[in-house]
């Protein structure tokens, strides 16, 4: 993982807007000849890598184009993609928003239904108003774990690797990454096969390890997408004690570290977020409660939200917590949750805050979360461009 040795390097958190042609092909995937679809996907990945480089992004990815998205607005492709790559699942029949709520108690943390999230309950009128701008639409039922989990996505993963490498070669980009689901997020499915939660987490870790190893064995960086560390807090009702929640979450970190055993840390970046939906987020857990747990993950770099209005102030966490030697941070410097395009001067100011706390060479500037499926493609491009321009300003100041 290259560091910001002589300037602030830039990246983003993963998902990028799909092209109209790719969206249409995904909607009609069964009707499109496989060879034709494969060519379109590779051409689209090469193109999105080229566009990232033209906008000034250093550490690029495939836009998560291999994680199928069939609609312009999609908050779940980062997660849903894995359903087609794992056996042991059967179709579900209950909408996630309509599942029966589950209640936690002191010392016993359980996840409730998506419709029972505390932020959603506090702002029920806004979340159920189609004109509010924060509704995410009806969700298809998620599958259930009804058998032994096994990884079956080798062909799709090989295509992801091959397509990104084609993009890197075509553009001369020096570093690329692919996103993969965390065991903790994988384990959020309803389970009727394994004895308990611990068995599900172990099974998910063993399954996802295959993806992590294939990506890193190919010489690429793997990004672990793991909202389960922070986002789950909002999905525990009533609000738990922080220590109870950390004990619950520590199991997910242990499962991830188990899955990452033997993989060089410099080829792993971890992405923590509080959920990508465009809601109030008043029930988010403060970063100060999670930072040490995050730093215990076997990764060389840590990506986290730092630009949105609920978490921007948390750059101060690094005044009280030391970044371990050899690690880097990848803070969100522009937000996925607003259509306002940040000014380059603001971008530079945000970068400099982190550089002064942990060292300029230990900061790579990024986005809060994925832009694809969340904001318009034209605005997404403008945000990446302003990220690069702001990094140039910060570099001149930090290396002057």
């Amino acid at each position: 993982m290259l560091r910001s040795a002589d300037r602030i390097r830039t990246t983003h958190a993963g998902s990028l807007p799909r092209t109209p042609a790719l969206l249409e092909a995904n909607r009609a995937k069964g009707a499109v000849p496989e060879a034709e679809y494969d060519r379109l996907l590779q051409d689209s990945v090469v193109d999105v890598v080229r566009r990232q480089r033209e906008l000034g992004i250093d550490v690029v990815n495939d836009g998560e184009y291999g994680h199928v998205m069939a609609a312009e607005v999609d908050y779940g492709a980062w997660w849903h993609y894995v359903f087609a790559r794992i056996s042991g699942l059967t179709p579900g029949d209950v909408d996630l928003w309509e599942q029966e709520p589950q209640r936690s108690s002191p010392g016993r943390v359980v996840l409730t239904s998506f419709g029972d999230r505390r932020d959603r309950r506090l702002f029920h009128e806004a979340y159920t108003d189609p004109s509010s701008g924060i509704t995410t639409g009806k969700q298809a039922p998620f599958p259930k774990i009804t058998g032994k989990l096994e990884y079956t996505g080798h062909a799709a993963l090989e295509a992801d690797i091959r397509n990104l490498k084609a993009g890197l070669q075509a553009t001369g980009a020096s570093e690329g990454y692919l996103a993969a689901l965390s065991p903790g997020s994988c384990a959020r499915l309803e389970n009727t096969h394994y004895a308990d939660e611990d068995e599900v987490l172990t099974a998910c870790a063993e399954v996802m390890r295959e993806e992590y190893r294939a990506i890193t064995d190919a010489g690429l960086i793997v990004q672990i997408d793991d909202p389960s560390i922070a986002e789950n807090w909002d999905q525990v009702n009533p609000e738990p004690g922080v220590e109870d929640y950390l004990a619950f979450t520590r199991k997910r970190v242990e499962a991830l570290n188990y899955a990452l055993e033997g993989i060089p840390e410099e080829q792993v970046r971890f992405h923590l977020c509080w959920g990508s939906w465009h809601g109030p987020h008043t029930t988010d857990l403060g970063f100060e409660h999670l930072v040490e747990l995050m730093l215990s993950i076997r990764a060389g770099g840590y990506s986290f939200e730092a630009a949105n209005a609920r978490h921007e102030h948390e750059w101060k966490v690094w005044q009280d917590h030391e970044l371990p030697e050899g690690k880097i941070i990848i803070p969100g410097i522009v937000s996925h949750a607003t259509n306002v395009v940040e000014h380059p001067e603001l971008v530079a100011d945000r970068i400099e805050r982190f550089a002064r706390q942990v060292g300029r060479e230990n900061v790579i500037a990024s986005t809060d979360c994925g832009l694809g499926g969340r904001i318009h493609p034209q605005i997404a491009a403008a945000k990446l461009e302003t990220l690069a321009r702001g990094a140039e300003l910060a570099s001149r100041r930090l290396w002057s």
Side-chain angles (χ1 to χ4, degrees):
M1 194 177 301
L2 298 177
R3 310 175 80 80
S4 294
D6 55 0
R7 61 182 176 85
I8 296 294
R9 292 167 59 78
T10 56
T11 188
H12 60 91
S15 182
L16 294 175
R18 278 49 163 183
T19 64
L22 189 56
L23 287 169
E24 182 58 35
N26 287 338
R27 284 191 284 266
K29 193 172 181 186
V32 177
E34 185 175 348
E36 180 181 332
Y37 180 83
D38 291 345
R39 283 194 300 272
L40 172 63
L41 181 57
Q42 178 165 309
D43 290 346
S44 300
V45 170
V46 172
D47 179 61
V48 79
V49 172
R50 181 176 292 110
R51 284 186 280 123
Q52 290 171 69
R53 295 294 296 127
E54 289 172 349
L55 291 167
I57 301 303
D58 296 302
V59 186
V60 299
N61 79 334
D62 65 341
E64 295 185 22
Y65 280 16
H67 298 178
V68 175
M69 182 187 293
E72 288 82 356
V73 177
D74 187 327
Y75 289 84
W78 65 273
W79 187 13
H80 301 168
Y81 87 93
V82 85
F83 301 161
R85 300 187 183 189
I86 295 178
S87 65
L89 305 177
T90 58
D93 53 10
V94 179
D95 189 306
L96 284 178
W97 302 102
E98 298 173 358
Q99 287 178 326
E100 192 70 24
Q102 297 190 65
R103 288 291 173 264
S104 292
S105 57
R108 179 180 176 271
V109 173
V110 295
L111 297 180
T112 186
S113 65
F114 278 69
D116 192 45
R117 289 178 180 273
R118 285 181 282 113
D119 198 59
R120 185 179 174 89
R121 290 175 67 87
L122 283 171
F123 296 91
H124 178 74
E125 290 182 19
Y127 275 105
T128 55
D129 181 354
S131 67
S132 67
I134 65 172
T135 55
T136 55
K138 187 176 178 62
Q139 299 291 311
F142 275 26
K144 302 175 183 178
I145 300 174
T146 56
K148 185 179 188 308
L149 295 180
E150 294 184 338
Y151 191 78
T152 59
H154 303 91
L157 179 57
E158 288 169 7
D160 290 344
I161 292 168
R162 183 171 60 249
N163 293 340
L164 178 55
K165 284 192 165 185
L168 297 177
Q169 184 176 11
T171 63
S174 58
E175 195 168 66
Y177 73 94
L178 289 172
L181 190 68
S182 70
S185 292
C186 175
R188 287 163 69 173
L189 299 176
E190 183 180 346
N191 161 57
T192 61
H193 176 76
Y194 293 98
D196 54 31
E197 174 187 271
D198 292 345
E199 282 195 9
V200 175
L201 281 168
T202 299
C204 287
E206 290 173 346
V207 165
M208 294 312 303
R209 186 207 311 264
E210 293 201 40
E211 229 176 52
Y212 309 160
R213 285 188 178 276
I215 293 169
T216 53
D217 285 349
L220 300 170
I221 293 168
V222 62
Q223 173 176 293
I224 309 299
D225 283 344
D226 198 359
S228 75
I229 302 301
E231 182 188 344
N232 278 353
W233 170 263
D234 173 56
Q235 203 182 330
V236 181
N237 213 339
E239 180 179 305
V242 171
E243 288 306 314
D244 284 346
Y245 179 75
L246 292 180
F248 170 83
T249 304
R250 198 166 287 114
K251 287 187 175 184
R252 282 134 186 86
V253 170
E254 290 169 355
L256 175 56
N257 279 338
Y258 170 65
L260 290 171
E261 283 181 2
I263 297 176
E265 290 187 359
E266 61 268 20
Q267 282 185 265
V268 180
R269 48 190 262 181
F270 174 82
H271 175 58
L272 177 147
C273 77
W274 283 262
S276 61
W277 77 91
H278 295 348
H281 284 269
T282 58
T283 57
D284 286 1
L285 181 63
F287 191 30
E288 67 272 15
H289 299 298
L290 295 167
V291 61
E292 289 298 332
L293 193 58
M294 180 189 77
L295 291 174
S296 73
I297 292 167
R298 291 174 170 160
Y302 302 99
S303 160
F304 52 88
E305 293 187 55
N308 71 53
R310 198 71 193 177
H311 294 281
E312 183 177 359
H313 67 286
E314 291 174 336
W315 66 269
K316 299 173 187 174
V317 161
W318 299 103
Q319 294 176 339
D320 303 315
H321 297 271
E322 185 175 353
L323 182 67
E325 186 176 355
K327 304 299 182 84
I328 64 172
I329 60 171
I330 311 171
I333 302 298
V334 300
S335 175
H336 68 292
T338 174
N339 288 328
V340 177
V341 177
E342 293 82 351
H343 195 283
E345 287 284 353
L346 175 61
V347 169
D349 288 347
R350 287 172 171 169
I351 291 170
E352 289 178 72
R353 289 174 188 164
F354 288 104
R356 292 194 181 100
Q357 297 303 318
V358 304
R360 62 190 183 184
E361 71 282 1
N362 298 322
V363 177
I364 295 178
S366 185
T367 60
D368 268 348
C369 200
L371 302 175
R374 280 89 168 188
I375 59 175
H376 190 276
Q378 189 175 24
I379 298 173
K383 282 181 173 283
L384 293 179
E385 184 176 26
T386 202
L387 176 64
R389 300 293 81 77
E392 290 173 359
L393 285 174
S395 296
R396 288 200 292 270
R397 297 171 187 169
L398 292 167
W399 272 269
S400 61

